[in-house]
Amino acid sequence: MKLIKYPSKEQWTELLKRPALNTESLFDTVRSIINKVRAEGDKAVLEYEATFDKVTLPALAVTPEEIQAAESLVSDKLKDAISLAKQNIETFHSSQRFVGKKVETMNGVTCWQKAVGIEKVGLYIPGGTAPLFSTVLMLAVPAKIAGCKEIVLCTPPDKEGNIHPVILFAAQLAGVSRIFKAGGVQAIAAMAYGTESVPKVYKIFGPGNQYVTAAKQLVSLRDVAIDMPAGPSEVEVLADASANPAFVAADLLSQAEHGVDSQAILITTSEKLQTEVMAEVERQLAELPRWEIAAKSLENSKLILVRDMAEALDLTNAYAPEHLIIETENYMEVAERVTNAGSVFLGSLTPESAGDYASGTNHTLPTNGYAKAYSGVSLDSFIRKITFQEILPEGIKTIGPAIEEMAANEHLDAHKNAVTIRLKAINK
């Protein structure tokens, strides 16, 4: 990790750069895959599974028998942990239910909103080095609470054509409607346009590599909504002299092991802590089974020493981290001054992994600085709000003349007439 001391404000832009993610350079390759899936359906998806995932599949759909068999392959201890996490995710996201309130803006003019679940949603769960069953919970549980009628899940199979049993167990538990063996760009295209097997959905959720990210960006241009732009995962720890260096190092490494393009940053007001964390990271790194991935990721990571907490907060808000852990003496007060972050973890006993798995908050969050403008996935991500209005005779009499005047001044005579004709009718 790079040790940086008292950087000037002019250095911040360069200092806070993420690992490069140039998805635009992949667009031509990704577009050709999307177009082939759009034209040829299942046939193209199966061909790409053979090419990219090195597996020959007789069909894309996971059978009920496969789902049933998976349950016996997951330990009771892990099932209990998944059930606890599901319960907390359910509790937190249920609290976000929208209650529409009728508002009388003027006498005889009533407006309100109604929340409606997106009818068909697609969830993408990556394969790769670990089965992300936690992401299944994070996406499927709020989708179910929102009332989405069809929840479709795509995830790449292994070379034997199987989906990891814990992903199937979590999907079944969380209420996924249908599961398909498809990964990468071909899975995104299948959900965006539909194939003989995979239903077309209205919105696609879930993380993935740079090819998946590029595919989501392309299909979202005109054909389907997506959750948010995404890049490599990241964490920032904001700490003062009161922080435990072993805890801070563990938090940085828990992010670093995600992937070689992940980024972990410490911003601290304590030079002693900066030095101790550096030593502790090296000690803990040697004990990690995924140390090679974490070590590569740490090349993108920095330990930054600043003069005071005000500067630390300015730097934090400029970075807009996906995950922000605040390990300071007065962490509640510090947290009040955070304006840009995906999810915040307060105090020395609140590791990022709590939010990743089981505290109840969602771990699908904006990366790459998008926390300045985007929220993480929540119940709102799976619903639409439809506005309603009702105008009674006294209402149209009150606001009608204002509408006529405004429409006339925008030279929209038909708009004006839609009111005038009603006013004449009720004044007869």
Side-chain angles (χ1 to χ4, degrees), residues 13-231:
T13 302
E14 188 63 32
L15 187 62
L16 299 178
K17 276 186 178 175
R18 270 82 170 176
L21 182 70
N22 182 15
T23 53
E24 288 87 351
S25 65
L26 308 175
F27 278 176
D28 287 344
T29 301
V30 169
R31 192 179 286 109
S32 68
I33 297 171
I34 290 171
N35 289 341
K36 187 175 171 70
V37 171
R38 192 174 187 179
E40 299 178 17
D42 281 0
K43 177 175 176 287
V45 178
L46 290 166
E47 285 177 12
Y48 285 126
E49 283 304 308
T51 303
F52 299 128
D53 291 327
K54 311 298 181 192
V55 58
T56 302
L57 298 171
L60 295 174
V62 173
T63 65
E65 291 75 24
E66 287 176 289
I67 295 170
Q68 193 175 358
E71 188 168 352
S72 63
L73 300 174
V74 180
S75 72
D76 289 341
K77 191 174 181 181
L78 181 53
K79 283 181 193 171
D80 289 345
I82 290 171
S83 296
L84 180 146
K86 176 186 177 276
Q87 182 182 331
N88 287 346
I89 295 164
E90 213 162 41
T91 300
F92 182 66
H93 289 76
S94 292
S95 74
Q96 299 165 18
R97 281 194 176 101
F98 175 78
V99 180
K101 189 173 80 168
K102 289 192 174 184
V103 178
E104 193 169 45
T105 56
M106 296 191 82
N107 187 32
V109 180
T110 307
C111 305
W112 67 97
Q113 284 184 313
K114 175 184 172 185
V116 181
I118 298 170
E119 290 176 275
K120 298 179 182 182
V121 295
L123 316 181
Y124 182 73
I125 307 299
T129 55
L132 294 183
F133 58 88
S134 58
T135 303
V136 177
L137 299 178
M138 295 291 174
L139 298 177
V141 169
K144 195 73 178 171
I145 295 167
C148 301
K149 291 178 182 174
E150 189 159 23
I151 304 170
V152 174
L153 186 150
C154 284
T155 190
D158 62 22
K159 290 181 173 58
E160 284 71 49
N162 299 316
I163 303 297
H164 199 290
V166 71
I167 287 181
L168 295 182
F169 171 76
Q172 171 87 342
L173 186 70
V176 170
S177 314
R178 300 171 71 186
I179 307 168
F180 296 93
K181 301 173 182 180
V185 176
Q186 62 271 26
I188 301 302
M191 290 189 285
Y193 301 108
T195 70
E196 297 88 339
S197 299
V198 184
K200 172 180 167 54
V201 302
Y202 302 150
K203 189 171 183 180
I204 296 173
F205 296 80
N209 63 21
Q210 56 188 347
Y211 289 93
V212 168
T213 299
K216 285 173 67 179
Q217 288 174 332
L218 283 173
V219 298
S220 72
L221 292 176
R222 65 175 68 89
D223 300 304
V224 68
I226 62 170
D227 45 5
M228 69 188 81

Side-chain angles (χ1 to χ4, degrees), residues 2 19 256-257 259-263 285 290-301:
K2 298 177 183 70
E257 73 173 354
V260 296
D261 53 1
S262 294
Q263 188 172 56
L285 177 64
R290 291 165 64 93
W291 70 268
E292 289 178 322
I293 291 172
K296 188 73 178 168
S297 167
L298 291 176
E299 293 175 14
N300 304 315
S301 301

Side-chain angles (χ1 to χ4, degrees), residues 324-386:
L324 173 62
I325 301 170
I326 302 179
E327 297 189 44
T328 63
E329 196 168 11
N330 57 338
Y331 56 80
M332 281 297 186
E333 184 187 320
V334 171
E336 284 297 314
R337 295 155 68 190
V338 173
T339 55
N340 298 324
S343 190
V344 183
F345 304 78
L346 300 172
S348 61
L349 299 180
T350 314
E352 179 209 318
S353 47
D356 277 352
Y357 290 109
S359 66
T361 63
N362 208 290
H363 77 201
T364 308
L365 300 165
T367 63
N368 207 35
Y370 283 114
K372 291 175 181 173
Y374 285 83
S375 306
V377 165
S378 67
L379 192 64
D380 273 355
S381 307
F382 295 90
I383 64 174
R384 300 151 293 135
K385 294 190 179 89
I386 304 171

Side-chain angles (χ1 to χ4, degrees), residues 235-312:
V235 70
E236 180 203 318
V237 179
L238 176 57
D240 61 15
S242 70
N244 183 321
F247 291 1
V248 174
D251 290 334
L252 296 173
L253 286 167
S254 72
Q255 185 61 53
E257 73 173 354
H258 266 293
V260 296
D261 53 1
S262 294
Q263 188 172 56
I265 286 180
L266 168 67
I267 297 177
T268 183
T269 54
S270 167
E271 187 168 7
K272 180 171 181 283
L273 181 75
Q274 184 191 38
T275 305
E276 289 174 341
V277 167
M278 184 74 161
E280 190 64 34
V281 164
E282 290 176 4
R283 187 190 69 76
Q284 291 184 28
L285 177 64
E287 299 172 0
L288 291 177
R290 291 165 64 93
W291 70 268
E292 289 178 322
I293 291 172
K296 188 73 178 168
S297 167
L298 291 176
E299 293 175 14
N300 304 315
S301 301
K302 304 173 179 81
L303 306 176
I304 304 170
L305 177 65
V306 295
R307 288 170 182 80
D308 53 38
M309 192 52 64
E311 186 178 9

